[in-house]
Amino acid sequence: MCAKPLVVFSILFFIQLSESSPRFSVETIDKPNDCERKSTYGDQVFVHFIGRKQDTGEEFDRSHPDKPYRFQLGLGEVIEGFEEGLLHMCPGEKRKLIIPPHLAYGHKGGSLPQMPAGTLVFEVELVHAEEGPRHPKVFKNMDLDGDKYLTSFEIVHWIQSEIEQAGAQKLSPADERLFMEDVMVAEDTNKDGVISFIEFCGNKHDEF
């Protein structure tokens, strides 16, 4: 029995789309001989970049020449392709990223000129990478019972420990409570009274 015309059309369309759709790719342009530490999820990274549209070569965005762009890997602060393209990268390394629409701003683009549609090409250089303030190790240190949830008690305990290590003046119980409540408001996105590992670190980490 022959397949229905609609099914045949759908299969042919899928094949054509698969063949013509650009793929995400990372090309290393230059890499230092020595690399003591590579970037990983949770790191705060500092990069220089130039972004161009693949179809026209038009430049749509670039970092400031005197101030590298800073963001944290794994928190969804940038498009997925840009984030994935900077993983396991050495300081001083330069890469070329080809990012298809589904890992960028889609086929329609965003609301700003710096958010164009279609496939994008980035030239990036990693200037520096360091453990970010929401690094999984920070969460692990705060999570006293290891259940991957932070309670108000654990947050206050962490505040007290950080202040003690810094040799700073202790907060009053009232100030500790206010600080803890501010953290809960900012991080407890589903308002269940605890901060999960994913709420704190993002959903890209699988170290623990």
Side-chain angles (χ1 to χ4, degrees):
M1 181 180 293
C2 294
K4 294 181 179 180
L6 181 59
V7 175
V8 174
F9 175 79
S10 299
I11 294 173
L12 291 175
F13 178 77
F14 175 78
I15 293 173
Q16 183 180 10
L17 183 64
S18 299
E19 290 176 346
S20 61
S21 297
R23 295 182 178 182
F24 173 68
S25 69
V26 178
E27 178 186 354
T28 299
I29 305 300
D30 189 25
K31 188 175 183 178
N33 293 327
D34 297 325
C35 182
E36 295 183 358
R37 184 183 187 279
K38 294 183 178 181
S39 59
T40 187
Y41 283 126
D43 278 356
Q44 185 167 235
V45 295
F46 299 77
V47 300
H48 284 306
F49 72 88
I50 299 174
R52 295 186 174 90
K53 301 177 183 179
Q54 187 186 52
D55 55 354
T56 64
E58 176 189 353
E59 181 182 314
F60 63 86
D61 199 9
R62 69 162 56 217
S63 58
H64 192 282
D66 299 323
K67 187 177 182 181
Y69 181 67
R70 179 181 65 181
F71 69 97
Q72 193 164 351
L73 288 171
L75 298 184
E77 296 177 357
V78 297
I79 57 175
E80 186 174 352
F82 194 79
E83 188 169 65
E84 296 291 336
L86 267 68
L87 279 174
H88 313 302
M89 197 172 180
C90 299
E93 184 176 344
K94 297 179 181 179
R95 292 179 177 179
K96 180 180 180 180
L97 314 179
I98 298 179
I99 306 177
H102 70 280
L103 296 178
Y105 302 107
H107 291 282
K108 294 183 178 180
S111 57
L112 300 173
Q114 294 84 5
M115 303 166 66
T119 300
L120 309 179
V121 178
F122 285 91
E123 296 173 15
V124 296
E125 177 185 2
L126 180 62
V127 178
H128 177 66
E130 60 188 31
E131 289 189 1
R134 296 187 181 200
H135 195 278
K137 289 182 180 178
V138 176
F139 185 94
K140 189 176 182 180
N141 290 336
M142 296 174 69
D143 185 18
L144 298 177
D145 58 8
D147 66 349
K148 294 189 178 181
Y149 291 94
L150 300 181
T151 63
S152 57
F153 171 80
E154 288 172 324
I155 293 171
V156 170
H157 181 273
W158 176 77
I159 294 168
Q160 294 170 342
S161 299
E162 290 294 302
I163 290 175
E164 182 178 352
Q165 289 180 17
Q169 183 177 353
K170 293 183 178 180
L171 297 179
S172 68
D175 286 338
E176 287 179 349
R177 185 172 62 255
L178 287 174
F179 192 102
M180 178 271 296
E181 290 173 351
D182 287 342
V183 172
M184 279 293 187
V185 168
E187 306 296 341
D188 182 18
T189 56
N190 64 359
K191 308 304 178 188
D192 63 352
V194 293
I195 300 172
S196 70
F197 179 78
I198 290 177
E199 286 174 324
F200 186 85
C201 297
N203 60 4
K204 296 289 187 177
H205 305 287
D206 57 5
E207 292 92 329
F208 306 112

